[in-house]
Amino acid sequence: MKKQLFRSLTFIAILASISLSSCSKDDEPGGGGGGSTPAYNESGLPTKIDDNTIIYKTNDNIIVRFENLDVFGGAIPVSNTYSSKDGYCTIVFHSPVTAIDKEAFKNADNLVSIVLPKNVITIGNNAFDHCSKLKSITIPNSVTSIGNWAFNGCTGLTSVTIPNSVTSIGESAFYGCSGLASVTIPNLVTSIGESAFYGCSGLTSIVVESGNTKYDSRDNCNAIIETKTNTLIKGCSNTIIPNSVTNIFEYAFSGCSGLTSITIPNSVTNIGKRAFSGCTGLTSIVVGSGNTVYDSRDNCNAIIETSTNALTTGCKTTIIPNSVTSIGESAFYGCNSLTSVTIPNSVTNIGSSAFWGCSGLTSVAIPKSVTSIGYCAFYDCTGLTEVYCKATTPPICYSFTFSDSSYNATLYVPIGCKSVYKSATDWENFKYIYETSF
């Protein structure tokens, strides 16, 4: 059943003048596919096209929402008058639009190019959320704010020019824009939301313009640093952390799969949670020898909190030193390139989410020294086929320390201990438990 084009609302729905690349099978507008000609109102703007054509509403010059998204989802024949030859759409606005409202273009799957008019001031939350084929957007110099999740999941976006007029970039604004290779933060930006560039795994260049008073990219470091606090809030595969940085913000490098090595300078005294989670290409981690808070003892390719002997960040080449007493929360989170790990007898605690998503792990041996394993510590380790737990008393676990896929792995426990494991939280979920001598 065809979707209704216009809803009964209190405001007037109009169709702004739209320039679309339009080709039928015969390469002529309306040819070959029966696309209908739009009706025009007295102002010269189309008010109704056919049931398969883009209709959107405006309210006080704000683009509110597309009425029919099927044109973007591939449900429309390529011969339709207002769809392009390959089924993708390019849109240019000519009406006096001043804002793109929340979710206005959300899930517009086949949108490849859009030019926003010069009067637009705000781009709302989730405005272009998951426009996965969007390759080009022209943002005018009138825009002052880019909303939360505005371009979330726009994986086809390879470049974007943030105009000098922008003062705020919302939370997760460019989340998951894996094709984005470079970004420049203009002078007037005073607010960058958390995880604004999370999952931009293709980023190789980050520049903050020299006149910005809130942020900088000192020493050509390819990172965004909050100037006042010396906090690195976003890095990329080419980042070199300056020796003046004292804090690395949580998730700063998260999902940066192109990062292969990182050096933590002596100046760093705090590293936020999951700062390097999902850095699957990371093979070298070095902490400056003069750092008083962290170290990478024994060339272990890891970050260890010196005072607690807790390993806080690891990678696929990490060798856990025998002096480490705990594996910290999210230490190997999302490290799906990790294929093996040896946990030494010195370790007594494995933190929450420590190995979450380490899908490359096929076997893990938990020494008898371990007394507790945190929530989701081995969650989503989908490759696990063997788990060896050497403690006669099952380490304390929580629901979902392991996940459903792990419960199909074979659990090996000390001789005479099968029954206690069968009655212990989370261990009881393993389908195959065998006793063995260690």
Side-chain angles (χ1 to χ4, degrees), residues 148-426:
N148 301 338
W149 304 88
F151 295 95
N152 172 43
C154 293
T155 54
L157 198 63
T158 57
S159 66
V160 62
T161 300
I162 301 172
N164 291 328
S165 54
V166 170
T167 60
S168 68
I169 299 171
E171 176 184 334
S172 303
F174 293 91
Y175 189 108
C177 293
S178 55
L180 199 63
S182 64
V183 65
T184 298
I185 307 299
N187 290 337
L188 296 182
V189 172
T190 57
S191 174
I192 299 176
E194 185 173 327
S195 301
F197 297 94
Y198 181 97
C200 294
S201 55
L203 269 182
T204 58
S205 172
I206 301 176
V207 175
V208 179
E209 292 187 346
S210 58
N212 193 297
T213 58
K214 181 71 176 289
Y215 304 102
D216 67 80
S217 52
R218 67 192 68 166
D219 305 332
N220 298 315
C221 62
N222 278 311
I224 302 172
I225 298 170
E226 190 177 56
T227 305
K228 184 177 180 179
T229 62
N230 292 310
T231 299
L232 190 152
I233 64 171
K234 177 59 186 175
C236 68
S237 60
N238 288 333
T239 295
I240 299 174
I241 304 174
N243 200 36
S244 53
V245 166
T246 56
N247 304 287
I248 299 174
F249 197 66
E250 57 189 36
Y251 303 103
F253 291 86
S254 190
C256 189
S257 57
L259 184 70
T260 58
S261 65
I262 195 73
T263 298
I264 308 299
N266 295 337
S267 57
V268 172
T269 57
N270 180 68
I271 299 174
K273 69 177 182 179
R274 300 183 189 175
F276 296 93
S277 64
C279 293
T280 55
L282 197 57
T283 58
S284 173
I285 302 176
V286 176
V287 179
S289 59
N291 193 298
T292 59
V293 178
Y294 302 102
D295 67 80
S296 52
R297 67 191 68 165
D298 305 331
N299 298 315
C300 62
N301 281 315
I303 301 172
I304 298 170
E305 190 176 55
T306 305
S307 63
T308 62
N309 292 311
L311 189 150
T312 61
T313 301
C315 68
K316 64 181 178 181
T317 58
T318 294
I319 299 174
I320 304 175
N322 203 36
S323 55
V324 166
T325 57
S326 65
I327 299 172
E329 179 181 343
S330 304
F332 291 87
Y333 186 100
C335 189
N336 58 27
S337 55
L338 182 71
T339 56
S340 65
V341 63
T342 300
I343 302 173
N345 292 324
S346 56
V347 172
T348 60
N349 174 67
I350 299 173
S352 298
S353 306
F355 293 94
W356 180 315
C358 293
S359 55
L361 273 180
T362 57
S363 175
V364 63
I366 301 169
K368 61 183 180 181
S369 57
V370 172
T371 58
S372 64
I373 303 175
Y375 182 80
C376 292
F378 292 95
Y379 196 84
D380 209 21
C381 291
T382 55
L384 272 181
T385 58
E386 295 177 326
V387 177
Y388 297 85
C389 195
K390 299 179 181 181
T392 54
T393 300
I396 296 171
C397 284
Y398 302 87
S399 298
F400 305 111
T401 289
F402 296 88
S403 56
D404 290 345
S405 60
S406 302
Y407 299 139
N408 290 318
T410 302
L411 172 62
Y412 294 95
V413 301
I415 292 173
C417 297
K418 180 177 179 178
S419 60
V420 293
Y421 275 86
K422 285 294 289 183
S423 61
T425 300
D426 213 40

Side-chain angles (χ1 to χ4, degrees), residues 83-207:
S83 65
S84 66
K85 186 175 183 179
D86 57 4
Y88 295 164
C89 294
T90 300
I91 301 176
V92 179
F93 299 97
H94 296 296
S95 63
V97 176
T98 59
I100 310 296
D101 201 15
K102 62 182 181 181
E103 301 184 357
F105 293 87
K106 184 177 181 180
N107 296 324
D109 294 333
N110 281 3
L111 178 66
V112 293
S113 177
I114 188 163
V115 178
L116 302 183
K118 63 181 180 180
N119 294 319
V120 170
I121 298 171
T122 61
I123 298 175
N125 296 345
N126 303 88
F128 295 93
D129 194 333
H130 279 90
C131 294
S132 57
K133 293 185 177 70
L134 182 65
K135 295 180 180 180
S136 171
I137 182 165
T138 300
I139 303 174
N141 206 34
S142 53
V143 170
T144 60
S145 66
I146 298 174
N148 301 338
W149 304 88
F151 295 95
N152 172 43
C154 293
T155 54
L157 198 63
T158 57
S159 66
V160 62
T161 300
I162 301 172
N164 291 328
S165 54
V166 170
T167 60
S168 68
I169 299 171
E171 176 184 334
S172 303
F174 293 91
Y175 189 108
C177 293
S178 55
L180 199 63
S182 64
V183 65
T184 298
I185 307 299
N187 290 337
L188 296 182
V189 172
T190 57
S191 174
I192 299 176
E194 185 173 327
S195 301
F197 297 94
Y198 181 97
C200 294
S201 55
L203 269 182
T204 58
S205 172
I206 301 176
V207 175

